[in-house]
Amino acid sequence: TGAPDIDSRVRALAVAVESAIQSGSVDPARVYIAGRGDAVASVFYAISRMPDLWAAGVAVGGSPKAAIDSNRIFAANSTLVPLLWIAGDDSRPMVEKLTAAKLNLEWQSASGSFNAAALIQWLARHQRDAFPISIDCETNSPTFARCYWIQPAKFDASERNDVLPSTRIPGGTGAALDLGGFGFQVDDPGPGVLVTSLPGKYSGPLKNGDRLMALDGKPLASARQYLELMEKFTEEKPATVTVQRGKERIRVETRITLPRRESGVTARVQAQYLPAEKEIQIVSRTITEMRVTVAPHWIPATLLWNGLSLENLEEAGCWVLSVQKELLHAEKCQ
């Protein structure tokens, strides 16, 4: 999930969704994202990257750890996109971490009575509003700068605003074995870690169906125990893995590696429309220009952005807003 490839897949998914909406084959108010097993992390990731596409999301099994470890999951982006995660009871520590960070997450035990019909009913309760009266989004990338009726266009890291702290959910150490990006099922009970997928043109020492049985001589009970163990590593170091392949046990020399963490300033925008006052209020951090699409039923209105006022806004549609010489400037989108 930390690689550029996942961003490419999310962009391609967005293009497919928007194309289906434009063709009239999909109701834009009822677009849902779902995944199970290995795809669960991608559900969390896609919601955080492009929240305004989805009415809600469902994740079955798996783990969002890979998404969290990317350092690109922002709790603000889940505000209007409820996410249902159906997982085993051993997922409770992760659920507690995410809900404490104010991610809009609902959890159901996989051992409970929640079935497919209940899942569909849960989804049906949620619809996407094209013009929600309150929005909140954060991003670390101009490529993923979209927030319902606001699209940030220009950024300046010096434009800080302490009123809007970051909602980034911190990942773990991200430690991994340097064995070529193998895939495994987090829910697999073990013993060991079952290798379920390998990248294209893989040239490493593993094969599909292998089980990683021990790390530096210490048995690996399950995939979740392996993940918990890797979180304890804070430095890169040589390692030895015992691999079960059929009836054969193989000793593999490798390394424990740590990813390069993305840091730096993010951009965040909060906005709301106050019907009684006929007022659009926008507060932002790191944004110096944005496109604001004003709903027809909001007109006429006054617009406030970081304390600067634009009076007598009398035309709906897309406006380009910028700050020039400490004045709020607006012009219609081209």
Side-chain angles (χ1 to χ4, degrees), residues 9 17-18 55 57 96 101 107 109 122 140 157 166 182 185 210-211 214 231 235 294 313 333:
R9 296 203 302 272
V17 170
E18 289 165 344
E96 291 172 359
W107 179 84
S109 173
W122 184 91
N140 71 329
S166 178
F182 63 95
Q185 291 182 343
D210 284 352
R211 281 189 182 271
E231 281 302 301
E235 296 180 351
V294 180
L313 189 62
C333 300

Side-chain angles (χ1 to χ4, degrees), residues 152-163:
K154 291 184 180 179
F155 302 85
D156 184 346
S158 67
E159 292 293 326
R160 306 297 293 269
N161 188 343
D162 293 335
V163 172

Side-chain angles (χ1 to χ4, degrees), residues 293-329:
T293 302
V294 180
H297 56 280
W298 294 355
I299 293 298
T302 297
L303 188 146
L304 297 170
W305 178 18
N306 285 355
L308 299 177
S309 177
L310 182 67
E311 305 285 346
N312 302 321
L313 189 62
E314 307 219 359
E315 186 176 345
C318 179
W319 290 87
V320 178
L321 303 185
S322 60
V323 178
Q324 301 177 10
K325 297 181 180 180
E326 299 185 357
L327 294 174
L328 182 54
H329 179 75

Side-chain angles (χ1 to χ4, degrees), residues 92-319:
R92 286 183 181 273
M94 176 64 79
V95 173
E96 291 172 359
K97 173 182 177 176
L98 298 179
T99 52
K102 301 189 185 310
L103 194 78
N104 189 3
L105 179 67
E106 182 179 330
W107 179 84
Q108 291 279 348
S109 173
S111 61
S113 58
F114 205 87
N115 54 29
L119 189 153
I120 293 172
Q121 290 176 1
W122 184 91
L123 286 174
R125 295 201 303 267
H126 304 289
Q127 294 190 51
R128 173 188 176 275
D129 185 353
F131 287 97
I133 62 172
S134 181
I135 59 177
D136 189 357
C137 302
E138 184 175 3
T139 185
N140 71 329
S141 170
T143 304
F144 296 97
R146 45 190 288 170
C147 188
Y148 301 89
W149 41 274
I150 289 181
Q151 181 179 353
K154 291 184 180 179
F155 302 85
D156 184 346
S158 67
E159 292 293 326
R160 306 297 293 269
N161 188 343
D162 293 335
V163 172
L164 293 180
S166 178
T167 66
R168 191 201 307 259
I169 299 177
T173 66
L177 294 173
D178 188 19
L179 294 173
F182 63 95
F184 59 93
Q185 291 182 343
V186 178
D187 298 333
D188 186 84
V193 181
L194 176 63
V195 178
T196 57
S197 64
L198 296 167
K201 299 182 180 179
Y202 178 78
S203 59
L206 299 180
K207 293 184 178 181
N208 279 322
D210 284 352
R211 281 189 182 271
L212 281 57
M213 300 299 296
L215 176 61
D216 290 336
K218 297 179 180 179
L220 297 172
S222 66
R224 288 199 185 274
Q225 188 255 337
Y226 162 73
L227 290 175
E228 292 170 1
L229 178 63
M230 297 306 290
E231 281 302 301
K232 298 178 181 178
F233 292 105
T234 57
E235 296 180 351
E236 297 193 349
K237 54 170 282 195
T240 302
V241 178
T242 303
V243 177
Q244 183 83 42
R245 182 175 297 161
K247 297 182 179 180
E248 183 182 8
R249 287 218 168 189
I250 304 168
R251 178 185 171 95
V252 177
E253 301 292 335
T254 183
R255 286 187 62 79
I256 293 171
T257 62
L258 297 174
R260 292 183 178 181
R261 287 296 187 200
E262 292 182 351
S263 59
V265 178
T266 62
R268 184 179 176 189
V269 59
Q270 278 185 343
Q272 60 180 333
Y273 171 67
L274 304 177
E277 292 83 359
K278 283 283 188 178
E279 189 171 270
I280 301 167
Q281 296 182 348
I282 303 172
V283 181
S284 70
R285 169 169 52 76
T286 319
I287 302 168
T288 57
E289 182 178 299
M290 63 176 64
R291 290 173 175 253
V292 178
T293 302
V294 180
H297 56 280
W298 294 355
I299 293 298
T302 297
L303 188 146
L304 297 170
W305 178 18
N306 285 355
L308 299 177
S309 177
L310 182 67
E311 305 285 346
N312 302 321
L313 189 62
E314 307 219 359
E315 186 176 345
C318 179
W319 290 87

Side-chain angles (χ1 to χ4, degrees), residues 1-3 5-7 9-11 13 33-50 54 57-68 70 72-73 83 85:
T1 299
D5 183 54
I6 182 65
D7 281 340
R9 296 203 302 272
V10 170
R11 287 196 297 269
L13 179 60
I33 183 167
R36 67 183 305 155
D38 294 344
V40 159
S42 297
V43 172
F44 282 75
Y45 193 86
I47 288 175
S48 185
R49 274 318 210 189
M50 293 188 167
W54 322 108
V58 170
V60 181
S63 170
K65 184 179 182 302
I68 305 301
S70 73
R72 300 172 190 168
I73 302 300
L83 174 59
W85 184 21

